[in-house]
Amino acid sequence: MDTPQPRWMDADLTLFQDSTRRLFDREFVPDEEKWRKQQHADREVWHKAGRMGLLCVSMPEVYGGGGGSFAHEAIVASEQARAMVYGFSNNVHSAILAHYILNYGTESQKQRWLPKMATGELVGAIAMSEPGAGSDLKSVRTTAVKDGGVYVVSGSKTFITNGLHANLICVVAKTDPQAGARGVSLVMVETQDLPGFRRGRLLEKLGQKSLDTAELFFDSVRVPQANLLGEVEGKGFTQLMQQLPRERLLIAVGAVATMRRAIDETLAYTQARQVFGQPLIDMQNTRFKLAECETVATIAARFVDDCVNRQLDGTLDLSTAAMAKWWTTQMNCQVIDECLQLHGGYGYMLEYPIARMYADARVGKIYGGSNEIMKEIIARSMTA
């Protein structure tokens, strides 16, 4: 079933979407199986994505970016999710970390890091989660202590997306351990030949197996004070909160694209599959289940379309972004489960995309802030 184009699309964005889809299908999909087996993409994928203009699409051209808008980011995120290419997290690299630097960095920091991120020379990661601190960022234990002209960064991080290849890491650390949220700062760490920095094991995950997810360790790592993002200590928590609506909306965009792919795969399967002498699609239960899934996917697409419009005009709030994130990821898992059931036993086989979607989608309810945290954000906005 054809899905109407979002209201924010125009002719130029449609061309960009078409070319982006072809790039993912031609250049990256063929390598996904190899990447899944080795639990990470090859380092060259970042250079390739840079050459193709897929990195930092919304960064100003003066910093080497594509000069686009959030609409371009949403298209890349949607097409990457539709293609089921998880070997590199462009969302973390381009749509989140690059915007931290653009919005809070000094001119020197922007000139130093953004052009290299646009080419893939630098791979970005955000080191938030710790073994004892996930969604509760105020509880991080990693510290960045001043010593002369440097910060001494000590601590460990886990579940770090792009963790294997990242050589520019935004570390969430306490510059004042006694100040709670007001003691959190963002310190940029360039890892090349950096004493005291080491990567732990690649984490074996339920899904998204081609995406490198790692533990990181900072053993008295010395980082120039000029690498503090925002110039003033204690702004990290506020900086993170200001950028989270963008991150959560991108997760919702990906969930909508995955729902669409799941339904399309299942419709094709049920039309071809013969059961009791007739196509599976001719059975009323099949038709009703697909009708339910189509309805949910259509509602999700309309809601996310509105959220993208609000992000583009600067009116998307934390609560609405939380609604989009939790509801679309919840519905994505529900729709995929229904679609897997319609595949029967074949739906449990990893050679079928629906089985991989089932495993890949589940983390959507966890990362970017768990869905329970999303509901708390919404509830607080109702009683504020």
Side-chain angles (χ1 to χ4, degrees):
M1 182 173 180
D2 292 332
T3 303
Q5 289 281 37
R7 288 170 292 163
W8 44 269
M9 289 287 284
D10 58 24
D12 288 340
L13 287 170
T14 299
L15 288 174
F16 178 71
Q17 181 182 46
D18 291 343
S19 64
T20 300
R21 178 169 294 192
R22 288 195 299 270
L23 285 174
F24 275 113
D25 287 344
R26 183 181 71 239
E27 300 292 339
F28 301 110
V29 169
D31 290 324
E32 262 290 311
E33 183 176 358
K34 181 185 79 167
W35 295 344
R36 286 196 300 272
K37 289 178 180 178
Q38 66 189 25
Q39 295 187 13
H40 63 85
D42 300 327
R43 176 62 178 84
E44 170 58 23
V45 72
W46 289 99
H47 296 295
K48 179 188 286 190
R51 290 193 299 270
M52 294 175 179
L54 294 175
L55 304 181
C56 299
V57 292
S58 66
M59 286 294 102
E61 293 180 9
V62 68
Y63 300 123
S69 68
F70 182 82
H72 294 82
E73 292 177 5
I75 287 170
V76 174
S78 177
E79 291 306 319
Q80 188 166 7
R82 185 206 63 83
M84 298 172 60
V85 171
Y86 293 106
F88 62 105
S89 179
N90 195 26
N91 276 356
V92 168
H93 175 91
S94 300
I96 302 173
L97 178 57
H99 280 267
Y100 285 178
I101 299 169
L102 180 67
N103 289 317
Y104 308 119
T106 64
E107 184 60 28
S108 174
Q109 289 172 341
K110 296 173 191 178
Q111 293 285 356
R112 180 175 182 178
W113 295 320
L114 290 177
K116 293 180 180 180
M117 291 181 71
T119 63
E121 181 180 346
L122 287 178
V123 175
I126 304 173
M128 296 187 192
S129 296
E130 298 181 358
S135 296
D136 183 12
L137 295 177
K138 297 187 296 293
S139 299
V140 297
R141 296 187 176 183
T142 298
T143 58
V145 179
K146 282 184 178 178
D147 180 19
V150 303
Y151 284 109
V152 179
V153 180
S154 300
S156 62
K157 299 289 184 176
T158 193
F159 310 142
I160 306 306
T161 299
N162 295 340
L164 175 65
H165 294 310
N167 49 4
L168 179 65
I169 302 173
C170 178
V171 178
V172 180
K174 288 282 186 70
T175 46
D176 184 354
Q178 309 305 318
R182 295 180 179 178
V184 175
S185 301
L186 304 183
V187 179
M188 303 298 298
V189 178
E190 298 169 88
T191 67
Q192 186 68 34
D193 300 322
L194 183 63
F197 170 76
R198 57 190 175 91
R199 306 177 202 271
R201 62 193 176 97
L202 279 175
L203 301 174
E204 189 171 358
K205 306 185 298 295
L206 172 67
Q208 299 190 10
K209 291 183 178 292
S210 63
L211 178 59
D212 56 305
T213 308
E215 300 170 317
L216 304 178
F217 299 94
F218 303 86
D219 301 324
S220 298
V221 170
R222 300 178 71 82
V223 180
Q225 285 188 27
N227 284 23
L228 176 70
L229 203 59
E231 297 186 280
V232 179
E233 291 183 359
K235 300 293 184 181
F237 189 77
T238 299
Q239 292 163 349
L240 293 169
M241 293 302 104
Q242 288 173 343
Q243 295 301 313
L244 280 173
R246 167 190 291 274
E247 176 181 356
R248 289 164 181 165
L249 179 53
L250 287 167
I251 293 172
V253 166
V256 169
T258 304
M259 272 188 257
R260 180 79 272 145
R261 171 78 184 265
I263 294 168
D264 289 346
E265 292 280 345
T266 307
L267 181 60
Y269 178 82
T270 57
Q271 288 172 331
R273 175 71 168 164
Q274 294 287 315
V275 178
F276 300 115
Q278 62 179 325
L280 182 55
I281 190 64
D282 288 349
M283 294 186 168
Q284 188 181 68
N285 178 70
T286 302
R287 299 169 70 83
F288 281 8
K289 288 296 183 184
L290 283 173
E292 292 170 5
C293 291
E294 183 68 26
T295 302
V296 169
T298 300
I299 293 169
R302 297 297 186 276
F303 179 34
V304 171
D305 177 17
D306 182 67
C307 289
V308 172
N309 277 318
R310 293 176 66 176
Q311 175 67 26
L312 288 168
D313 65 24
T315 61
L316 182 66
D317 59 275
L318 193 63
S319 176
T320 304
M323 293 179 193
K325 191 270 181 186
W326 92 256
W327 191 78
T328 58
T329 56
Q330 188 76 27
M331 292 301 103
N332 189 27
C333 289
Q334 179 176 309
V335 165
I336 292 171
D337 187 63
E338 295 283 10
C339 289
L340 188 151
Q341 188 71 17
L342 290 175
H343 279 73
Y346 291 104
Y348 205 63
M349 301 296 112
L350 286 173
E351 66 187 272
Y352 282 77
I354 197 67
R356 298 196 299 274
M357 287 186 220
Y358 185 86
D360 293 340
R362 183 57 179 83
V363 72
K365 296 196 284 186
I366 299 171
Y367 61 20
S370 71
N371 282 0
E372 290 73 22
I373 296 294
M374 299 303 97
K375 294 173 188 178
E376 181 65 24
I377 291 169
I378 298 162
R380 287 180 182 180
S381 73
M382 296 169 65
T383 57

